[in-house]
Amino acid sequence: MTDTFNAPAPVSEHRFPCDNCGSDLRFDPQAGELTCDHCGNTQAIDGTGFQFQPIKELDFQAGLRTDLPGTEMQETRVTSCPNCAALVEFEDGKHATECPFCATPLVVDTGIHRHIKPRAVLPFALPEDVARDAMKDWLGSLWFAPSGLKKYARKDRKMQGIYVPYWTYDADTVSSYHGERGTVYYETQTVMRDGKRTRVQVAKVRWRAASGRVARFFDDVLVLASTSLPKRFTDALEPWDLSALEPYAPEYLAGFRAEAYAVSLEDGFGQARQHMDRVIERDVKFDIGGDRQRIHGIDTAVSNITFKHILLPVWLAAYKYRGKTYRFVVNGRTGRVQGERPYSTIKITFAVILGLILAAIIGYYVAQQP
């Protein structure tokens, strides 16, 4: 999304010098504070902990009009990966890196990405070694995986801690509907079975017109704002404990990377509406009642739409096998693992041959039985 705000926001920096030795502090997921790996100094993050007030939502229409206050905007240096199109954020002063999503070498351009500032962040709770162990267990359980894949898991390769962008949407909805309510009843009929007349109960449905209204408030409908990770993987990392969201502070990003959103605010709401419509359809069926329901039309009025841009924590590893990249993602809060996997043709062929040999042996012994 582009904008024409007059008040520029500073380029975000996620480097915090240690008060004791001057080295860079990083966010420690276990301690929940900034830690210096050089001297062991720690520093608390202001404003953390349980939020007595919910994190403030932003007006959706103002976001579409690019009419948000300048304080809600942010500028970051990002580059688009030529392989997977991820928008990777760079720390200030860094000019080259590797794409964490597909391991493609990147060289930063000089462009500035101006976007809606994250409103909240769900901090990492699992350190890298715990996430790596979870990935090892998952990879070790894969059948027919190439031997190189399990060797990769045993080498303790570094994982990337990535904050992945999401939108959340709130909305009030009122839906008018018309359809039909079906009541099941039974008629006794005589049929022929095995040459005999048999009386059976046959289900019938009696339909009558139905109409009404249902209302629902949707809270924090979650939409992935990234296009660099397969949605089926990120969906499978749910649930996310959104009640633990903290107001955005750049300190949480110290030592990690953040991906800029690639799904616009408007397109994200289109995905949220699809989710809302499915829930509303279930509400309508429940309201119609009866044994069966037919829906002929639903007219939904949506109002009071608000949104948040939030960041959720993912540990990510990219593995290359025969020229193709395979990615593994770990929920940075729960340790849940998802990912792609290559298949070993040799192992599959061997398993098929072994299966045929066993089947032939069993068939031979069966044939020898009197």
Side-chain angles (χ1 to χ4, degrees), residues 1-49:
M1 177 182 294
T2 59
D3 61 88
T4 56
F5 287 93
N6 295 322
V11 175
S12 64
E13 298 181 12
H14 307 314
R15 302 179 65 183
F16 300 89
C18 174
D19 294 337
N20 190 39
C21 69
S23 297
D24 286 342
L25 297 170
R26 66 171 180 83
F27 176 70
D28 184 346
Q30 288 182 307
E33 58 187 6
L34 295 175
T35 300
C36 178
D37 291 329
H38 186 262
C39 69
N41 183 35
T42 61
Q43 180 178 316
I45 300 175
D46 293 337
T48 61

Side-chain angles (χ1 to χ4, degrees), residues 39-296:
C39 69
N41 183 35
T42 61
Q43 180 178 316
I45 300 175
D46 293 337
T48 61
F50 180 76
Q51 301 300 310
F52 292 94
Q53 296 293 331
I55 296 171
K56 183 181 177 181
E57 304 277 335
L58 298 175
D59 181 71
F60 177 69
Q61 295 300 327
L64 292 183
R65 295 191 306 267
T66 65
D67 195 26
L68 294 171
T71 55
E72 299 299 336
M73 303 303 295
Q74 185 180 42
E75 290 182 349
T76 53
R77 295 171 57 242
V78 299
T79 189
S80 176
C81 174
N83 185 44
C84 71
L87 295 177
V88 182
E89 180 178 328
F90 282 78
E91 294 178 358
D92 190 49
K94 194 170 186 178
H95 296 280
T97 189
E98 182 180 87
C99 177
F101 296 96
C102 67
T104 299
L106 299 175
V107 177
V108 67
D109 58 24
T110 58
I112 297 297
H113 182 74
R114 184 164 173 78
H115 57 95
I116 299 173
K117 185 178 179 180
R119 193 69 182 169
V121 57
L122 189 59
F124 277 88
L126 299 181
E128 182 183 355
D129 58 341
V130 175
R132 188 187 302 114
D133 287 343
M135 185 187 70
K136 283 182 185 178
D137 292 342
W138 186 81
L139 292 176
S141 68
L142 298 179
W143 287 29
F144 303 125
S147 300
L149 181 62
K150 296 184 180 182
K151 288 180 182 178
Y152 168 89
R154 291 194 294 267
K155 287 182 179 178
D156 290 342
R157 298 290 182 87
K158 183 175 177 60
M159 300 186 74
Q160 296 285 346
I162 304 289
Y163 280 104
V164 178
Y166 281 78
W167 300 112
T168 72
Y169 298 91
D170 292 3
D172 286 307
T173 64
V174 177
S175 303
S176 301
Y177 68 85
H178 63 280
E180 295 177 89
R181 170 177 175 164
T183 302
V184 176
Y185 66 97
Y186 294 88
E187 288 183 351
T188 301
Q189 297 181 359
T190 301
V191 299
M192 296 295 294
R193 288 184 179 172
D194 299 327
K196 297 180 181 179
R197 291 180 177 275
T198 305
R199 295 170 66 83
V200 297
Q201 296 288 310
V202 179
K204 302 284 186 178
V205 181
R206 183 179 294 111
W207 295 98
R208 65 180 179 84
S211 61
R213 292 203 315 168
V214 295
R216 176 179 283 271
F217 170 68
F218 287 92
D219 182 36
D220 283 346
V221 177
L222 191 64
V223 174
L224 175 67
S226 166
T227 58
S228 55
L229 289 174
K231 191 173 183 298
R232 67 183 186 277
F233 292 167
T234 54
D235 286 350
L237 292 182
E238 297 180 10
W240 296 96
D241 51 338
L242 298 185
S243 61
L245 283 169
E246 294 281 358
Y248 173 77
E251 286 88 346
Y252 289 115
L253 276 61
F256 296 93
R257 292 181 181 173
E259 184 188 8
Y261 59 79
V263 176
S264 70
L265 178 64
E266 184 175 12
D267 290 343
F269 183 69
Q271 296 183 38
R273 271 302 306 266
Q274 294 177 16
H275 167 80
M276 294 177 188
D277 289 343
R278 290 193 295 269
V279 174
I280 291 170
E281 183 176 334
R282 292 198 296 267
D283 289 347
V284 167
K285 289 183 176 181
F286 181 81
D287 198 63
I288 289 176
D291 302 309
R292 308 279 177 82
Q293 301 85 31
R294 289 175 177 167
I295 299 174
H296 299 315

